[in-house]
Amino acid sequence: MGTNLALALVKKCIFALSWLVPRNANKAVLGCYKNRFADNSKYLFLHWQQTHFMQTIWISGDKALIHALRQQGYTAHSRWSLLGIYHALTAKYYVYNSYIGDINQWLAAGAIRINLWHGSPLKKIEFDITTGPLAAQYQTQSLWQAGLQALRYHQEYVRPSLMLSPSPLVGESFQRAFRLKEDSLLSSTNPRTDYYLRYPEQRQTLPLKTDATAYRRVILYAPSWRDALWQNSQHLTSHSTPHLTSGNSDSPYQAAFDWQSLSHHLVDTDTLLLLRLHPNERHYAAQFCAYPNVLDISDWDDVYGILHRVDLLITDYSSLFIDVLPLEIPVLFFRFDHEQYLNQSRDCYDIGQDPLSIGQVAYQFDDLLALLQEMSHLNAKPQPCEAYQQLQRLYWSQHATGLSADNLVTDGLSIDGVSINERHDDSFARIERHLRQGQTQSFKFAFGTDIKPQI
């Protein structure tokens, strides 16, 4: 314990010293959780690569990813390479999806920290977590204990300078969970939901059938991360027990589904099931992808490029259903471990509107299959019910309207005298306008030259 504490103190000192390095106000470093190229930071990076708003560098610990990005002409560096360290120390802006460790958690003290987060608040996050295995990380009984936790979980205790809020509900949740001041919130949608509206030509295509025709229907199954199960697997690993591998019978999805029956239904109804497990659980997916009409996309960067092709989302507690609300994609909730999940995992926020009311709910596989068979007879996508529209307004507020590719034009152009920012004020425009104005709260504290980005 003493050695770990001493090391944590040394690292904390390095973090503090990084405050003294002058930072380039025309440079941003971006990264993603688990060293991936995904989510909000990916889409802001791609947008800035096209608009040249400022110099952008992708930081990752995955050398294969770094090589792939360089092959595409992007600037990318390994986290602990000399150039990776240099840019992390001298960039004015850190843009990330989870924590500053997406880039470099020890060199970020003097930077403007823009946390775009990787979901919408459905399950409780950060300092709002009071139950489940993550609660001990944030809930402390004394200042001394809080100080120790801030050393042990350094990046989780570093507050963002800026976060995006598509509605008052989301903003209030972020403000409490991350202990933010109100002026650290920017009213805006997210790059992950805006990118393919602004750049529809970049959307992904799905594989065709053997006869080169498209599937009649596409279902996306994207369950939530079961953090209690992950905690158990971590405990087993720490005791020298091999980690869960593909094909392991401990998979919660093995017992919850009759995959043979599901596959027969998919084939009979000309339906493709996209299986998208959480990054922490994607090793489970390999045992299911051999079934006909089941495509494992768990190793894809994300799913936003194919949402325009999805006819039905099946999920459980994942906040992905919040992201599809503006697209009016029907949602089916399959909560096969409902009681266990409630007892062992994090609580959910009380949002004043039951999410289950927006779609069908199944707790057993037989019920799920019956609902899928019933829905397969529909010839058109059903109109969203009133509860669906209410939840859409709750999470997306005034931004829920006008999210259509028809409303998008290219930056710098105007139609009938109306500029792009007036026609479609998306997250890219709002972030750029905010940075131009230099209104981020931490501008007052960051050491270095606080000048506006030179566009």
Side-chain angles (χ1 to χ4, degrees):
M1 176 63 182
T3 302
N4 291 339
L5 180 59
L7 182 60
L9 286 169
V10 170
K11 290 179 177 178
K12 202 76 168 180
C13 289
I14 294 174
F15 175 75
L17 289 173
S18 71
W19 197 297
L20 302 176
V21 181
R23 293 183 178 268
N24 182 346
N26 196 40
K27 181 164 67 174
V29 284
L30 302 91
C32 181
Y33 48 79
K34 292 187 173 292
N35 295 311
R36 306 180 76 180
F37 186 60
D39 221 295
N40 283 314
S41 57
K42 164 190 171 180
Y43 293 115
L44 187 58
F45 177 83
L46 292 175
H47 172 69
W48 280 350
Q49 287 289 313
Q50 298 191 55
T51 63
H52 306 291
F53 177 75
M54 67 170 65
Q55 182 186 6
T56 54
I57 301 101
W58 191 267
I59 302 294
S60 174
D62 186 336
K63 292 183 179 179
L65 173 62
I66 295 299
H67 177 73
L69 291 177
R70 288 176 176 175
Q71 290 291 101
Q72 298 176 59
Y74 301 135
T75 303
H77 296 292
S78 295
R79 182 169 294 113
W80 291 110
S81 67
L82 289 178
L83 283 174
I85 293 172
Y86 168 75
H87 288 301
L89 275 171
T90 58
K92 186 69 174 180
Y93 304 100
Y94 268 50
V95 183
Y96 51 98
N97 297 321
S98 294
Y99 308 104
I100 53 175
D102 292 357
I103 302 164
N104 193 314
Q105 64 172 312
W106 307 111
L107 306 179
I112 305 302
R113 300 176 293 275
I114 305 174
N115 188 349
L116 300 178
W117 202 236
H118 53 273
S120 299
L122 179 63
K123 292 184 295 184
K124 289 187 176 180
I125 56 176
E126 306 305 290
F127 289 93
D128 280 346
I129 300 174
T130 57
T131 60
L134 297 178
Q137 189 167 311
Y138 298 100
Q139 303 305 318
T140 57
Q141 303 299 319
S142 65
L143 288 176
W144 169 252
Q145 187 180 5
L148 289 177
Q149 292 295 74
L151 287 174
R152 184 180 180 186
Y153 302 107
H154 164 72
Q155 61 177 349
E156 288 87 343
Y157 279 70
V158 175
R159 299 183 188 182
S161 308
L162 183 70
M163 295 189 75
L164 305 184
S165 166
S167 74
L169 170 71
V170 176
E172 291 167 5
S173 299
F174 281 160
Q175 193 173 344
R176 288 194 313 270
F178 290 89
R179 299 181 175 180
L180 302 177
K181 294 183 179 180
E182 188 174 354
D183 56 4
S184 294
L185 293 170
L186 176 64
S187 178
S188 172
T189 48
N190 297 305
R192 66 175 182 264
T193 54
D194 291 345
Y195 184 80
Y196 293 104
L197 297 176
R198 185 180 276 252
Y199 303 104
E201 71 281 1
Q202 299 294 326
R203 291 171 175 169
Q204 296 170 257
T205 58
L206 292 175
L208 302 175
K209 294 181 293 185
T210 54
D211 62 359
T213 60
Y215 292 90
R216 187 176 74 89
R217 299 180 73 239
V218 176
I219 297 174
L220 172 62
Y221 177 49
S224 179
W225 172 40
R226 285 156 170 77
D227 46 20
L229 182 65
W230 173 83
Q231 183 80 357
N232 292 337
S233 70
Q234 294 295 100
H235 177 73
L236 291 173
T237 303
S238 67
H239 286 78
S240 302
T241 299
H243 196 278
L244 297 172
T245 59
S246 61
N248 192 295
S249 60
D250 288 334
S251 163
Y253 310 104
Q254 180 67 56
F257 286 82
D258 179 344
W259 288 93
Q260 189 69 56
S261 297
L262 177 61
S263 179
H264 285 322
H265 166 77
L266 297 173
V267 173
D268 290 343
T269 58
D270 194 16
T271 299
L272 175 66
L273 177 72
L274 303 175
L275 177 61
R276 170 71 178 184
L277 299 187
H278 189 278
N280 288 337
E281 297 182 340
R282 62 181 176 176
H283 53 280
Y284 292 136
Q287 58 190 307
F288 310 126
C289 60
Y291 289 97
N293 288 42
V294 176
L295 177 63
D296 175 27
I297 62 169
S298 300
D299 61 345
W300 286 17
D301 292 334
D302 50 49
V303 299
Y304 295 96
I306 50 92
L307 288 182
H308 66 289
R309 286 285 287 112
V310 172
D311 299 294
L312 173 67
L313 170 67
I314 303 176
T315 187
D316 42 25
Y317 320 94
S318 171
S319 66
L320 179 61
F321 85 88
I322 297 171
D323 283 352
V324 307
L325 289 174
L327 301 176
E328 298 186 348
I329 296 174
V331 181
L332 194 162
F333 295 95
F334 183 37
R335 296 186 168 185
F336 56 83
D337 58 350
H338 183 60
E339 292 185 6
Q340 179 185 14
Y341 188 92
L342 292 180
N343 291 332
Q344 296 184 6
S345 296
R346 286 172 279 166
D347 289 335
C348 291
Y349 286 106
D350 179 11
I351 62 173
Q353 170 69 46
D354 181 11
L356 301 185
S357 64
I358 73 169
Q360 302 279 10
V361 187
Y363 297 98
Q364 302 290 335
F365 174 76
D366 289 344
D367 297 329
L368 172 68
L369 188 58
L371 288 172
L372 290 178
Q373 291 171 339
E374 178 183 328
M375 294 176 181
S376 68
H377 298 300
L378 298 176
N379 294 322
K381 185 170 69 174
Q383 292 297 313
C385 63
E386 177 59 29
Y388 194 110
Q389 294 174 333
Q390 288 178 1
L391 203 62
Q392 183 187 70
R393 291 190 292 268
L394 196 61
Y395 273 103
W396 293 97
S397 190
Q398 71 273 17
H399 305 296
T401 59
L403 293 183
S404 164
D406 295 335
N407 291 332
L408 300 174
V409 292
T410 305
D411 269 339
L413 299 181
S414 62
I415 295 180
D416 296 329
V418 180
S419 71
I420 170 64
N421 287 344
E422 293 175 56
R423 285 177 57 82
H424 189 81
D425 196 15
D426 62 9
S427 56
F428 304 111
R430 292 197 172 211
I431 292 172
E432 290 169 3
R433 186 162 62 247
H434 187 82
L435 296 186
R436 284 191 186 102
Q437 294 170 348
Q439 292 178 343
T440 306
Q441 175 67 22
S442 59
F443 280 2
K444 301 176 182 178
F445 307 107
F447 185 90
T449 306
D450 285 333
I451 60 175
K452 301 176 184 177
Q454 299 175 1
I455 311 305

